[in-house]
Amino acid sequence: MYTEISAVEMVEVSPRDGLQNEKRAISTAYKLELINRALESGARRIEVTSFVNPKAVPQMADADEVCAGLPERDDVTYIGLVMNQRGADRAIATGRIDQLGAVAVSTDGLGIANQGQTSEESVEVAKSLIRSAQAAGLTGQATIAASFGCPFDGEVAVDRVVEMAAQIAAANPVEIALADTIGVGNPAHVASLVSKVKAAIGELPVRVHFHNTRGTGLANVWAAILAGATTVDASIGGLGGCPFAPGAAGNVATEDVVYMLERAGISTGLDLDKLIEMNRWLGGVMEKDLPAMVGKAGGFPQPDAKQNDERNVA
Ligand code: ZN
């Protein structure tokens, strides 16, 4: 064993965050196949869709149809992302969503642009959505968007995010997530913020959500785990770009995170070979090469590795 950390929980976010940031529209049938393949690869928490205005996010217009097609599983948590009470009501009405994910925003700039709320208002809305989930017999959690930097307001103070986490914790979410929405975080910042948030919210778990926009995604995952984060969002193939950086890489790739953690002796519950297979399938559906690196290189050691390879290996 290399570390004392033995397991990390993964949340597959490709059906929502991945697809939402892709230009290509994907049919409901392919979304359901993506979800089924994630289940087969071992995923037990999946962000399946978001209940937002279809005019604002046309890729998620089929949220109700996706929910109707979800396999019935007692051992799986299906997460629906919601921004307001109307979205929460829709998600609850499907009868298929287990957990509502609310979003609070660290800055007024992004809050107003994204959901028409100041940062403070977004905290109150997130708390109220968590309580709506609980009242309906679901669980609720919240993500603090732009925890490491904002596309409009620039630097985000660690203290502001810590303060928000403490306020949201009062609504008893199942966890609080810190999201690097635009992929500007670095491992030192991540370690500092995760440990300060943990200290502020007591027993509540911390989930992390990174975009690999500037290549720091995996390093940030590692730093977050060492600092005490227990759950990691990832998207198969590294699907999904960044809404504020056209052409940039997407979420950290599930197979890259799983490779790194499993090789380090940290169990994820996911099957790397099946993830790589899923990457190939998804690349075909999206008609492009996906950014994940392990998706291209494969795992290690490989069962069919040649013993006497004469290639120049220097
Ligand atoms: Zn994201």
PDB file of all heavy atoms in Angstrom, residues 106-107 110 145-157 161 179-185 189:
ATOM      1  N   SER A 106     -19.971  30.814  -6.320  1.00  0.00           N
ATOM      2  CA  SER A 106     -19.099  31.567  -5.408  1.00  0.00           C
ATOM      3  C   SER A 106     -19.063  33.071  -5.687  1.00  0.00           C
ATOM      4  O   SER A 106     -18.663  33.848  -4.838  1.00  0.00           O
ATOM      5  CB  SER A 106     -17.676  31.008  -5.494  1.00  0.00           C
ATOM      6  OG  SER A 106     -17.117  31.349  -6.751  1.00  0.00           O
ATOM      7  N   THR A 107     -19.466  33.472  -6.895  1.00  0.00           N
ATOM      8  CA  THR A 107     -19.375  34.898  -7.245  1.00  0.00           C
ATOM      9  C   THR A 107     -20.704  35.421  -7.789  1.00  0.00           C
ATOM     10  O   THR A 107     -21.500  34.654  -8.340  1.00  0.00           O
ATOM     11  CB  THR A 107     -18.323  35.125  -8.354  1.00  0.00           C
ATOM     12  OG1 THR A 107     -18.746  34.417  -9.527  1.00  0.00           O
ATOM     13  CG2 THR A 107     -16.935  34.651  -7.945  1.00  0.00           C
ATOM     14  N   LEU A 110     -20.757  35.114 -11.991  1.00  0.00           N
ATOM     15  CA  LEU A 110     -21.208  33.851 -12.589  1.00  0.00           C
ATOM     16  C   LEU A 110     -22.633  33.523 -12.154  1.00  0.00           C
ATOM     17  O   LEU A 110     -23.430  33.022 -12.942  1.00  0.00           O
ATOM     18  CB  LEU A 110     -20.262  32.701 -12.212  1.00  0.00           C
ATOM     19  CG  LEU A 110     -20.623  31.329 -12.810  1.00  0.00           C
ATOM     20  CD1 LEU A 110     -20.634  31.371 -14.336  1.00  0.00           C
ATOM     21  CD2 LEU A 110     -19.665  30.241 -12.330  1.00  0.00           C
ATOM     22  N   ALA A 145     -20.111  26.112  -7.316  1.00  0.00           N
ATOM     23  CA  ALA A 145     -19.507  26.329  -8.630  1.00  0.00           C
ATOM     24  C   ALA A 145     -18.448  27.424  -8.548  1.00  0.00           C
ATOM     25  O   ALA A 145     -18.546  28.328  -7.718  1.00  0.00           O
ATOM     26  CB  ALA A 145     -20.585  26.711  -9.644  1.00  0.00           C
ATOM     27  N   ALA A 146     -17.469  27.319  -9.420  1.00  0.00           N
ATOM     28  CA  ALA A 146     -16.376  28.293  -9.485  1.00  0.00           C
ATOM     29  C   ALA A 146     -15.673  28.454  -8.138  1.00  0.00           C
ATOM     30  O   ALA A 146     -15.346  29.557  -7.713  1.00  0.00           O
ATOM     31  CB  ALA A 146     -16.874  29.642 -10.014  1.00  0.00           C
ATOM     32  N   SER A 147     -15.435  27.323  -7.461  1.00  0.00           N
ATOM     33  CA  SER A 147     -14.778  27.367  -6.157  1.00  0.00           C
ATOM     34  C   SER A 147     -13.314  27.808  -6.255  1.00  0.00           C
ATOM     35  O   SER A 147     -12.717  28.211  -5.265  1.00  0.00           O
ATOM     36  CB  SER A 147     -14.803  25.974  -5.504  1.00  0.00           C
ATOM     37  OG  SER A 147     -16.066  25.680  -4.978  1.00  0.00           O
ATOM     38  N   PHE A 148     -12.736  27.671  -7.452  1.00  0.00           N
ATOM     39  CA  PHE A 148     -11.297  27.958  -7.589  1.00  0.00           C
ATOM     40  C   PHE A 148     -11.002  29.130  -8.515  1.00  0.00           C
ATOM     41  O   PHE A 148      -9.847  29.448  -8.766  1.00  0.00           O
ATOM     42  CB  PHE A 148     -10.575  26.699  -8.080  1.00  0.00           C
ATOM     43  CG  PHE A 148     -10.741  25.538  -7.145  1.00  0.00           C
ATOM     44  CD1 PHE A 148     -11.779  24.634  -7.307  1.00  0.00           C
ATOM     45  CD2 PHE A 148      -9.880  25.389  -6.066  1.00  0.00           C
ATOM     46  CE1 PHE A 148     -11.939  23.568  -6.424  1.00  0.00           C
ATOM     47  CE2 PHE A 148     -10.038  24.335  -5.173  1.00  0.00           C
ATOM     48  CZ  PHE A 148     -11.068  23.424  -5.353  1.00  0.00           C
ATOM     49  N   GLY A 149     -12.061  29.761  -9.033  1.00  0.00           N
ATOM     50  CA  GLY A 149     -11.851  30.885  -9.931  1.00  0.00           C
ATOM     51  C   GLY A 149     -13.099  31.068 -10.769  1.00  0.00           C
ATOM     52  O   GLY A 149     -13.823  30.119 -11.030  1.00  0.00           O
ATOM     53  N   CYS A 150     -13.334  32.325 -11.174  1.00  0.00           N
ATOM     54  CA  CYS A 150     -14.582  32.664 -11.868  1.00  0.00           C
ATOM     55  C   CYS A 150     -14.277  33.271 -13.231  1.00  0.00           C
ATOM     56  O   CYS A 150     -13.371  34.097 -13.360  1.00  0.00           O
ATOM     57  CB  CYS A 150     -15.355  33.662 -11.013  1.00  0.00           C
ATOM     58  SG  CYS A 150     -16.789  34.355 -11.865  1.00  0.00           S
ATOM     59  N   PRO A 151     -15.043  32.881 -14.256  1.00  0.00           N
ATOM     60  CA  PRO A 151     -14.788  33.433 -15.598  1.00  0.00           C
ATOM     61  C   PRO A 151     -15.121  34.921 -15.691  1.00  0.00           C
ATOM     62  O   PRO A 151     -14.654  35.596 -16.603  1.00  0.00           O
ATOM     63  CB  PRO A 151     -15.719  32.612 -16.495  1.00  0.00           C
ATOM     64  CG  PRO A 151     -16.804  32.111 -15.589  1.00  0.00           C
ATOM     65  CD  PRO A 151     -16.152  31.921 -14.249  1.00  0.00           C
ATOM     66  N   PHE A 152     -15.911  35.428 -14.751  1.00  0.00           N
ATOM     67  CA  PHE A 152     -16.290  36.850 -14.791  1.00  0.00           C
ATOM     68  C   PHE A 152     -15.539  37.674 -13.753  1.00  0.00           C
ATOM     69  O   PHE A 152     -15.036  38.745 -14.037  1.00  0.00           O
ATOM     70  CB  PHE A 152     -17.802  37.004 -14.562  1.00  0.00           C
ATOM     71  CG  PHE A 152     -18.623  36.312 -15.609  1.00  0.00           C
ATOM     72  CD1 PHE A 152     -19.213  35.080 -15.363  1.00  0.00           C
ATOM     73  CD2 PHE A 152     -18.782  36.875 -16.878  1.00  0.00           C
ATOM     74  CE1 PHE A 152     -19.967  34.434 -16.332  1.00  0.00           C
ATOM     75  CE2 PHE A 152     -19.523  36.232 -17.862  1.00  0.00           C
ATOM     76  CZ  PHE A 152     -20.117  35.014 -17.597  1.00  0.00           C
ATOM     77  N   ASP A 153     -15.489  37.148 -12.501  1.00  0.00           N
ATOM     78  CA  ASP A 153     -14.937  37.939 -11.408  1.00  0.00           C
ATOM     79  C   ASP A 153     -13.491  37.581 -11.058  1.00  0.00           C
ATOM     80  O   ASP A 153     -12.915  38.170 -10.144  1.00  0.00           O
ATOM     81  CB  ASP A 153     -15.821  37.792 -10.157  1.00  0.00           C
ATOM     82  CG  ASP A 153     -17.238  38.326 -10.392  1.00  0.00           C
ATOM     83  OD1 ASP A 153     -17.506  38.802 -11.514  1.00  0.00           O
ATOM     84  OD2 ASP A 153     -18.071  38.258  -9.468  1.00  0.00           O
ATOM     85  N   GLY A 154     -12.912  36.612 -11.760  1.00  0.00           N
ATOM     86  CA  GLY A 154     -11.498  36.292 -11.526  1.00  0.00           C
ATOM     87  C   GLY A 154     -11.270  35.443 -10.283  1.00  0.00           C
ATOM     88  O   GLY A 154     -11.966  34.463 -10.053  1.00  0.00           O
ATOM     89  N   GLU A 155     -10.297  35.854  -9.477  1.00  0.00           N
ATOM     90  CA  GLU A 155      -9.915  35.074  -8.302  1.00  0.00           C
ATOM     91  C   GLU A 155     -11.082  34.964  -7.329  1.00  0.00           C
ATOM     92  O   GLU A 155     -11.858  35.910  -7.157  1.00  0.00           O
ATOM     93  CB  GLU A 155      -8.744  35.745  -7.566  1.00  0.00           C
ATOM     94  CG  GLU A 155      -7.492  35.955  -8.415  1.00  0.00           C
ATOM     95  CD  GLU A 155      -6.648  34.701  -8.581  1.00  0.00           C
ATOM     96  OE1 GLU A 155      -7.066  33.621  -8.137  1.00  0.00           O
ATOM     97  OE2 GLU A 155      -5.552  34.817  -9.172  1.00  0.00           O
ATOM     98  N   VAL A 156     -11.176  33.794  -6.686  1.00  0.00           N
ATOM     99  CA  VAL A 156     -12.219  33.573  -5.678  1.00  0.00           C
ATOM    100  C   VAL A 156     -11.522  33.299  -4.351  1.00  0.00           C
ATOM    101  O   VAL A 156     -10.642  32.431  -4.263  1.00  0.00           O
ATOM    102  CB  VAL A 156     -13.106  32.376  -6.084  1.00  0.00           C
ATOM    103  CG1 VAL A 156     -14.051  31.982  -4.951  1.00  0.00           C
ATOM    104  CG2 VAL A 156     -13.889  32.718  -7.358  1.00  0.00           C
ATOM    105  N   ALA A 157     -11.909  34.028  -3.316  1.00  0.00           N
ATOM    106  CA  ALA A 157     -11.252  33.870  -2.008  1.00  0.00           C
ATOM    107  C   ALA A 157     -11.654  32.551  -1.361  1.00  0.00           C
ATOM    108  O   ALA A 157     -12.828  32.176  -1.367  1.00  0.00           O
ATOM    109  CB  ALA A 157     -11.637  35.036  -1.100  1.00  0.00           C
ATOM    110  N   VAL A 161     -15.630  30.638  -0.089  1.00  0.00           N
ATOM    111  CA  VAL A 161     -16.130  29.280  -0.359  1.00  0.00           C
ATOM    112  C   VAL A 161     -16.358  28.531   0.959  1.00  0.00           C
ATOM    113  O   VAL A 161     -17.355  27.828   1.125  1.00  0.00           O
ATOM    114  CB  VAL A 161     -15.146  28.518  -1.285  1.00  0.00           C
ATOM    115  CG1 VAL A 161     -15.655  27.114  -1.564  1.00  0.00           C
ATOM    116  CG2 VAL A 161     -14.956  29.293  -2.596  1.00  0.00           C
ATOM    117  N   ALA A 179     -16.438  22.674  -6.965  1.00  0.00           N
ATOM    118  CA  ALA A 179     -16.274  22.505  -8.407  1.00  0.00           C
ATOM    119  C   ALA A 179     -15.327  23.535  -8.993  1.00  0.00           C
ATOM    120  O   ALA A 179     -15.450  24.733  -8.739  1.00  0.00           O
ATOM    121  CB  ALA A 179     -17.627  22.606  -9.108  1.00  0.00           C
ATOM    122  N   ASP A 180     -14.386  23.038  -9.786  1.00  0.00           N
ATOM    123  CA  ASP A 180     -13.510  23.912 -10.563  1.00  0.00           C
ATOM    124  C   ASP A 180     -14.136  24.034 -11.952  1.00  0.00           C
ATOM    125  O   ASP A 180     -13.689  23.433 -12.920  1.00  0.00           O
ATOM    126  CB  ASP A 180     -12.100  23.312 -10.640  1.00  0.00           C
ATOM    127  CG  ASP A 180     -11.096  24.277 -11.262  1.00  0.00           C
ATOM    128  OD1 ASP A 180     -11.465  25.446 -11.505  1.00  0.00           O
ATOM    129  OD2 ASP A 180      -9.948  23.848 -11.509  1.00  0.00           O
ATOM    130  N   THR A 181     -15.174  24.837 -12.020  1.00  0.00           N
ATOM    131  CA  THR A 181     -16.029  24.936 -13.203  1.00  0.00           C
ATOM    132  C   THR A 181     -15.244  25.279 -14.470  1.00  0.00           C
ATOM    133  O   THR A 181     -15.576  24.805 -15.556  1.00  0.00           O
ATOM    134  CB  THR A 181     -17.103  26.015 -12.941  1.00  0.00           C
ATOM    135  OG1 THR A 181     -17.701  25.714 -11.677  1.00  0.00           O
ATOM    136  CG2 THR A 181     -18.155  26.049 -14.031  1.00  0.00           C
ATOM    137  N   ILE A 182     -14.212  26.116 -14.333  1.00  0.00           N
ATOM    138  CA  ILE A 182     -13.488  26.555 -15.531  1.00  0.00           C
ATOM    139  C   ILE A 182     -12.069  25.992 -15.595  1.00  0.00           C
ATOM    140  O   ILE A 182     -11.272  26.390 -16.442  1.00  0.00           O
ATOM    141  CB  ILE A 182     -13.457  28.106 -15.644  1.00  0.00           C
ATOM    142  CG1 ILE A 182     -12.882  28.733 -14.363  1.00  0.00           C
ATOM    143  CG2 ILE A 182     -14.862  28.624 -15.919  1.00  0.00           C
ATOM    144  CD1 ILE A 182     -12.571  30.219 -14.509  1.00  0.00           C
ATOM    145  N   GLY A 183     -11.747  25.059 -14.698  1.00  0.00           N
ATOM    146  CA  GLY A 183     -10.455  24.389 -14.798  1.00  0.00           C
ATOM    147  C   GLY A 183      -9.251  25.283 -14.584  1.00  0.00           C
ATOM    148  O   GLY A 183      -8.299  25.258 -15.360  1.00  0.00           O
ATOM    149  N   VAL A 184      -9.283  26.061 -13.497  1.00  0.00           N
ATOM    150  CA  VAL A 184      -8.143  26.934 -13.201  1.00  0.00           C
ATOM    151  C   VAL A 184      -7.433  26.566 -11.889  1.00  0.00           C
ATOM    152  O   VAL A 184      -6.467  27.217 -11.503  1.00  0.00           O
ATOM    153  CB  VAL A 184      -8.560  28.428 -13.131  1.00  0.00           C
ATOM    154  CG1 VAL A 184      -8.945  28.931 -14.505  1.00  0.00           C
ATOM    155  CG2 VAL A 184      -9.714  28.633 -12.151  1.00  0.00           C
ATOM    156  N   GLY A 185      -7.937  25.531 -11.217  1.00  0.00           N
ATOM    157  CA  GLY A 185      -7.366  25.166  -9.912  1.00  0.00           C
ATOM    158  C   GLY A 185      -5.972  24.577 -10.026  1.00  0.00           C
ATOM    159  O   GLY A 185      -5.559  24.117 -11.084  1.00  0.00           O
ATOM    160  N   HIS A 189      -3.850  24.930  -4.064  1.00  0.00           N
ATOM    161  CA  HIS A 189      -5.114  25.616  -3.789  1.00  0.00           C
ATOM    162  C   HIS A 189      -6.184  24.591  -3.387  1.00  0.00           C
ATOM    163  O   HIS A 189      -6.932  24.786  -2.427  1.00  0.00           O
ATOM    164  CB  HIS A 189      -5.522  26.375  -5.063  1.00  0.00           C
ATOM    165  CG  HIS A 189      -6.705  27.287  -4.912  1.00  0.00           C
ATOM    166  ND1 HIS A 189      -7.107  28.122  -5.918  1.00  0.00           N
ATOM    167  CD2 HIS A 189      -7.597  27.477  -3.898  1.00  0.00           C
ATOM    168  CE1 HIS A 189      -8.186  28.809  -5.526  1.00  0.00           C
ATOM    169  NE2 HIS A 189      -8.502  28.420  -4.313  1.00  0.00           N
TER     170      HIS A 189
END
